[in-house]
Structure formats: structure tokens, C-alpha cells
Amino acid sequence: MLARIARSSLKSRRVSALLTLLTIAVSVALLLAVERIRVETRNSFSSTISGTDLIVGARTGPVQLLLYSVFRIGDATNNIRYASYQEIAQHPQVAFAIPISLGDSHRGFRVIGTTSAYFEHFRFGDKRSLAFAQGAPFADLYDAVLGAEVAQELGYTLDQQIVIAHGTGRADIMRHDDKPFRIVGILARTGTPVDRSVHVSLEAIEAIHVDWQSGARLPGRMIDAQAARAMDLTPKAVTAVFVGLRSRMAAFSIQRQINEFRGEPLLAIMPGITLTQLWSLIGVAENALLLVAICVVIAGILGMVTALVTTLNERRREMAILRALGARPWHIGLLLVLEATLLSAVGALLGWLLLALAMLALAPWLASAYGLFIQPLAIVPRELLLVGAVVASGILAGLIPALMAYSRSLSDGLSIRV
Amino acid sequence: MSEALIELRELKFGWAKDRVDLDIPALDVACGGRVFVRGPSGSGKSTLLSLLAGVVVARSGSVRLLGQAMEALSGSARDRFRAEHIGYVFQQFNLLPYLSAVDNVLLGLRFSRRRAAGIVDRAAAAYELLQRLGLDLAHAQALAGALSVGQQQRVAAARALIGAPALIIADEPTSALDADTRDQFLSLLLDASTAAGSAVLFVSHDSSLASHFDQSWDLNLLNRARAH
């Protein structure tokens, strides 16, 4: 009965109750969104590469190497010699070595020079390998394989010609337009940065740069596409190497051997460990976001308390009636706690729904723009915990108007003082 | 009928320490009686009703209801006693406006196990009482806030009467009503309380109503704190 009174009473104050619900709903949605994105970012990043035991690059920071080699974020400051790659690839403990060469782009999408080992050995997610939606790996010097997103966004199909630009800027200012490529394959969608990459052979990268030096075309030394075929196109350098070992047990010793390589300064990282370092870096920003979201929730709950406290005066008559009927002061307090409970529980539920709707609407965009693959309707245990904490704080905060109503109903008794 | 419902003896009470607002040597009401108390504002009327309802207790002397000394009970025990034995009707605005009339009546049973115990079908009992007091089904199901003042007072009377408590305290229940509605309300209230076997303590400043009652007192004369 008391719950029914609480419900009807709230219903009679529809507008203020709805606004309070909305405040709580929005704050809960924000809190859950921060949590959801945090979790999904981690899942998404962790599933970008698997099966690779070591990543080798020029000596730099481990996180930086991971970012530019796997996530295609930022640029490498140095390459490593092709001979170093060959030495690593021939190490008896190495099962496979995938060289990648970065630095060029096509309309904002990164171009990756690599070998057929990439299509054979690269693994992502739950040890899944790359699959072709259409076509096959590159065979000719001027063949290109597109990631799913590149083909979709630019509307490319097999056999189309594309031109690669020098550098990784958005505007293709310096273009290798004398040596166009033919699209021979389009990869199936992976939900990783592979979808946003254009793949060509290492030799092709070499070929488009034969008449270039230090990032500019050499004047008067034009070598056309056919002439380049006749030249020695053995690569001189690569950006990084993904290494798979025969035994993961050897990872630490191979890592040390590479880090102590005599030929040139190299850095080998284990992707999992470096990812953990990355999280501890990002964790600071995440915690700040979470803190802000928690503050918004607190503001929402304070708003509810304010709304309840301001009604107390106009509800003194209601309290006196209940007291005359034999309600004890704690009944009056309980009534206010019930209202706070109802508001925060329904508000939290609305917030969750709001987030689900927003996620449903944003899921395609998050996937294409950030490679974030989220599940709009998932109920994560930690989110339940957060929602529970919000409702619990709402109930706790409801004690403020409840105690006020309690003490007032003690002092007012049956007389109605308005 | 002759069993004592209310016994006041040498009752003294003051809202502030150094003041006496109410000083009544003796007052007795029998079970099922109809008592009119003439009490203009300032006569100690609210104080007397607060003492009878058990919201406050006497500073000295005693208030006995159905043989129970109120001052011997704890605050929550007095609340429970009020729920079990007293139906209360305010001057006006008696109802929770966002509940239907019949739900307001049922509230009268919410805090009392004893009053609810004798009733098999609570809703039916509430509708029957409302009908006895002249409210049809449509009005009984309407939101209390949508009813006229006269209708609201009848709903309040039904709420006080449901479960047949020993005492109905009516605090100026007719002061917001016009003459016709007032007389109609009064006779409905008295008839229904007779049917329920409840005593009525009716407080009003309007002494013309006294003729409807068995007994009539003037609080100005009764209260020694006012007499000097």
C-alpha cells in the first residue's frame, strides 16, 4: 500500500518526476557508456593481433612500435635493414616472419608493403587468419590487395587501377602516378586496422621509389613502370617484422637476442605485454572519464533529493493525514525512501535503455571510424554492478528527505502547518 | 453503551514549559455516545484533540481511552492505538488527492490490523460505506482531488468509519460546507456512526449544531486555563 501511495504520489507530480527520471537516466547512460567503451576498446585492441609472439622494429619506445606497426597509429621514425629481417627470418626458432613496410598511403588509407607470408601467417582475434572476399593475393609487381573497409568506402572493385601517394597525409600531394596498381584481391572484413589498409609487395614499394630520394622525386631521372621491372627490386629496408616462434617458451630468449643484435639497434616486443603497458597509460585518462561520469551521476542524485525535499512543504498535509490514520513517523520516512528508490531504479533502467538505443544507432559508425565492434544489448556484470551502485546511492540519498519528513511528522503531529 | 470510552481526570497540558494551555478537571464520554464540543479558536480545541488522538501526552493527570491510559504508552504504541480505535476527520483537505475515493477509504484500514480483521471483502465494505454516505460508484472510483468539498468530506467520514473504530473525532468537518450540505453531512455521519457503533466527538464553533447530539460541552467553560 505504501508503495502504491509512493507511485501514485509521484504520478501526481508527473512533470517534476519525469525530469528527475531523465536526469538520472542521462547520467547513468553516460556512466555506462564510459564503461562500455573502455571494455570494448580493450577487447577490440586485444583482438587486433594474435599468434604473433614478437614484433621487431627500429629501436624506439615499445608502445610506439606497437602503435605504428599493429594499429597504424603514428609513423615509424626509423626502418630496419632488409638484411636484419632476413637474419631473423632464418633463425631456427622462428616459424614465420612477416615484414611490413609503411610510409605510403592511398586517399587516407595506409599502404603496407609485405610478402605473401602476411596472408598465410597473420592472425587476429581468436587466431583467425585473413580470408579473401574476392580475388587472390598479389602476384604481379603492380598488384594490390584491399582491406574490406577501403573497398567499401571508396567503392572499388577488382581490376580497377589505383595510384599510391607518398607519405601518410590525407591529401595525396605527391603521387606515384607513373606506376599505377591493379586491384587483384579484396579481403573479408576483420574488424581490425587490416580493413583500412592497402597491401602491396615489398618489391612494389621499392619500385615506386626507384627514382625518388629523401622523399622527393629526382629531377630528370624518370624511370617508367616497365623499366622499373628490369631493375633490382630487392628491398633495402622494412619498417617492422611480425615474428611467430616455434615455441612460445623461447620468446624471452629470442627477444633478448634481437635486442642485443650487433648489426643495428633493434627492438623486439611481446604484443600482449606492451598492450598492458598501453592500458596503464590509457588507464589514467579512462579513470578521469569515469570520475567525471560518477560526478554527473552524483549531480543527478542530488537533483532527485532536491526535487523530493522541495515537495516536503507542500506535502505536510499529506503527512498529517497519514499520521491521523495511525501511520508512525517511520512510515512517513519510508514513503520518501520508496519514492527515491522508485525514481533511481526506473531512472537507471531508462539510462540503460538510452545507452542501448544510442549504441544501436552508433554501432555501424564506431565500427567503421574506430574499428570498435560493440554489442549494443550486452549486459556486462560490471555494468550491473554500476547500475546497482547508482540505485543504492539513490536509496541512500533518499534518506535525507526521509529523515526530514520523519522529524517534521513528529513535530507537526495532526496539525497542518503550511 | 454505558462503558467508558473517554475519561479525562485533572488533565493539564502546555505546549511550552512555562504555560498551561489546557486544564480540564474531568470529562467522560460513554461508548457509542454522541458528544458536541463547542470550541472557538483559542479555546484549546486543537490541544484537546491532539491529546485524545495520542499525538501528545498529558503533563499531569490522565487521558484514558477504552480504559487505556495514553500517557502509559510509547509514541508508536499511541500511533497504533490511534490506528485501531480512532477515526479522524479534518476540517477539509482530508484526502490524498492522487488516490481514488475508494482507495482513500481503504487507507483507513492500512495501519490497523484490528479494524481490517472483521472485514472479509475490504473493497466491498468501502463501496458500501461510500454508498451509505451518498456517493455512487462513479464518484467512488473518481480521483479524490476531482470531487467537490462536500463529497470529499463524506469520503473522509467513510474512511474514519471503516472497520468501526470506537471513536470518531471530527474536527470542524462542516466549516467548509454551506448550510444545506452541512446538515446533510451531519445526519449522514451520525447515522453511519450509529450503524457502526462508533462514538462521535464533534468539535465545532457553531453551537446551532449541538441539538443533534446527546451531550454538549463548551470548551471555554471546561478549560480552566481559559476561564480566568
Side-chain angles (χ1 to χ4, degrees):
Chain A
M1 190 71 187
L2 223 49
R4 189 141 153 245
I5 296 175
R7 220 177 50 224
S8 311
S9 172
L10 281 176
K11 233 172 91 186
S12 74
R13 287 174 278 125
R14 214 169 277 116
V15 176
S16 98
L18 274 179
L19 286 175
T20 305
L21 278 183
L22 213 63
T23 316
I24 292 175
V26 169
S27 68
V28 167
L30 180 71
L31 180 69
L32 292 183
V34 168
E35 174 64 14
R36 183 82 57 99
I37 286 173
R38 192 184 72 89
V39 170
E40 296 291 346
T41 312
R42 287 184 182 211
N43 286 345
S44 182
F45 266 52
S46 310
S47 65
T48 297
I49 192 166
S50 66
T52 293
D53 299 305
L54 293 171
I55 298 171
V56 182
R59 193 159 293 170
T60 173
V63 170
Q64 199 189 354
L65 174 57
L66 182 77
L67 285 178
Y68 71 67
S69 65
V70 178
F71 302 110
R72 318 274 147 82
I73 297 170
D75 290 300
T77 45
N78 266 309
N79 282 346
I80 60 176
R81 285 187 211 125
Y82 191 68
S84 306
Y85 152 70
Q86 284 175 310
E87 207 162 313
I88 292 166
Q90 282 152 14
H91 191 285
Q93 280 288 334
V94 171
F96 67 84
I98 307 167
I100 58 166
S101 186
L102 301 166
D104 287 333
S105 65
H106 172 70
R107 297 178 66 177
F109 295 103
R110 301 275 174 125
V111 170
I112 296 159
T114 184
T115 65
S116 55
Y118 187 87
F119 303 109
E120 264 173 65
H121 298 298
F122 186 83
R123 296 285 184 276
F124 65 97
D126 194 13
K127 296 257 162 78
R128 285 162 64 198
S129 54
L130 296 173
F132 277 83
Q134 295 172 58
F138 41 73
D140 185 64
L141 184 61
Y142 298 115
D143 282 354
V145 171
L146 306 186
E149 194 62 39
V150 183
Q152 196 195 347
E153 202 166 301
L154 301 177
Y156 286 161
T157 52
L158 293 185
D159 291 329
Q160 245 179 300
Q161 300 264 325
I162 58 171
V163 167
I164 290 172
H166 196 76
T168 53
R170 274 252 158 200
D172 297 356
I173 297 168
M174 293 188 288
R175 293 159 24 118
H176 300 287
D177 44 11
D178 56 331
K179 300 182 182 71
F181 283 76
R182 189 174 64 100
I183 300 168
V184 296
I186 294 171
L187 293 171
R189 192 173 282 278
T190 63
T192 74
V194 170
D195 293 351
R196 301 181 61 78
S197 303
V198 175
H199 309 85
V200 300
S201 66
L202 283 177
E203 288 76 18
I205 296 285
E206 201 59 32
I208 57 178
H209 292 108
V210 284
D211 45 3
W212 286 56
Q213 201 165 51
S214 308
R217 194 171 296 203
L218 292 171
R221 267 203 58 195
M222 300 279 280
I223 297 167
D224 69 25
Q226 283 314 311
R229 285 178 187 274
M231 303 178 67
D232 174 19
L233 294 177
T234 309
K236 293 174 190 66
V238 296
T239 308
V241 187
F242 297 149
V243 178
L245 300 176
R246 290 187 202 287
S247 156
R248 297 194 75 171
M249 310 284 281
F252 281 106
S253 77
I254 308 283
Q255 184 186 31
R256 198 172 55 246
Q257 287 175 34
I258 293 173
N259 285 339
E260 289 167 0
F261 188 72
R262 286 175 186 280
E264 62 177 324
L266 294 181
L267 172 71
I269 58 167
M270 288 186 235
I273 291 177
T274 307
L275 209 52
T276 316
Q277 292 177 343
L278 180 63
W279 293 147
S280 66
L281 268 174
I282 293 176
V284 179
E286 283 175 345
N287 287 342
L289 267 180
L290 202 63
L291 201 70
V292 170
I294 287 172
C295 285
V296 173
V297 169
I298 290 174
I301 288 174
L302 282 180
M304 175 187 76
V305 172
T306 310
L308 286 178
V309 166
T310 48
T311 62
L312 284 185
N313 250 333
E314 57 192 88
R315 294 177 70 191
R316 281 190 151 175
R317 174 168 301 280
E318 195 176 317
M319 309 293 167
I321 292 168
L322 289 171
R323 290 279 285 142
L325 291 171
R328 295 185 259 306
W330 67 262
H331 282 127
I332 309 289
L334 185 62
L335 186 67
L336 270 296
V337 170
L338 282 174
E339 287 184 13
T341 307
L342 216 58
L343 283 172
S344 39
V346 175
L349 189 72
L350 273 179
W352 183 82
L353 274 175
L354 206 66
L355 178 71
L357 283 179
M359 288 290 173
L360 271 177
L362 292 180
W365 175 74
L366 281 174
S368 73
Y370 296 102
L372 275 181
F373 292 81
I374 46 153
Q375 304 199 305
L377 297 176
I379 298 180
V380 188
R382 216 181 115 101
E383 290 182 13
L384 281 180
L385 207 73
L386 283 175
V387 169
V390 171
V391 176
S393 335
I395 294 171
L396 219 61
L399 288 178
I400 297 170
L403 286 175
M404 286 174 69
Y406 176 90
S407 68
R408 277 188 189 189
S409 67
L410 266 180
S411 67
D412 283 6
L414 304 189
S415 58
I416 294 149
R417 289 162 208 185
V418 185
Chain B
M1 285 296 269
S2 57
E3 196 190 328
L5 173 62
I6 305 174
E7 293 173 279
L8 303 191
R9 292 291 177 272
E10 293 301 332
L11 174 69
K12 282 194 175 64
F13 180 83
W15 289 103
K17 260 207 164 98
D18 50 355
R19 231 172 65 188
V20 177
D21 295 286
L22 201 68
D23 180 356
I24 297 177
L27 191 151
D28 293 270
V29 175
C31 279
R34 295 170 169 186
V35 181
F36 180 83
V37 178
R38 197 181 88 83
S41 49
S43 61
K45 177 196 72 171
S46 305
T47 311
L48 176 64
L49 296 185
S50 293
L51 282 160
L52 288 174
V55 177
V56 291
V57 291
R59 183 183 293 165
S60 67
S62 93
V63 176
R64 281 178 179 274
L65 284 169
L66 293 164
Q68 171 67 53
M70 298 308 281
E71 56 275 10
L73 296 175
S74 71
S76 75
R78 279 180 275 124
D79 288 333
R80 216 168 301 134
F81 190 91
R82 176 166 67 251
E84 305 283 14
H85 301 291
I86 299 175
Y88 206 101
V89 184
F90 289 108
Q91 193 169 340
Q92 57 175 329
F93 306 122
N94 271 289
L95 310 177
L96 300 189
Y98 45 79
L99 292 183
S100 69
V102 68
D103 280 339
N104 265 287
V105 175
L106 288 170
L107 267 185
L109 300 175
R110 166 62 182 81
F111 299 98
S112 164
R113 205 165 296 153
R114 197 194 64 82
R115 278 167 72 180
I119 300 173
V120 182
D121 185 345
R122 297 181 186 192
Y127 279 117
E128 197 189 312
L129 256 173
L130 284 170
Q131 201 184 15
R132 182 189 282 278
L133 285 158
L135 274 105
D136 59 25
L137 194 66
H139 284 112
Q141 288 171 341
L143 279 187
L147 300 176
S148 74
V149 181
Q151 287 164 337
Q152 288 193 25
Q153 288 306 76
R154 280 181 272 157
V155 176
R159 185 180 60 200
L161 282 161
I162 195 165
L167 175 64
I168 307 292
I169 296 178
D171 179 6
E172 302 250 21
T174 55
S175 65
L177 306 179
D178 57 52
D180 286 348
T181 337
R182 183 191 61 202
D183 290 340
Q184 191 198 13
F185 173 80
L186 194 59
S187 61
L188 284 171
L189 172 69
L190 291 175
D191 289 351
S193 54
T194 303
S198 306
V200 178
L201 186 87
F202 192 101
V203 184
S204 176
H205 61 275
D206 182 358
S207 40
S208 70
L209 298 174
S211 59
H212 296 271
F213 295 84
D214 312 333
Q215 247 180 311
S216 142
W217 287 311
D218 190 329
L219 200 53
N220 266 341
L221 302 176
L222 209 59
N223 185 1
R224 288 191 299 213
R226 293 282 132 194
H228 50 73

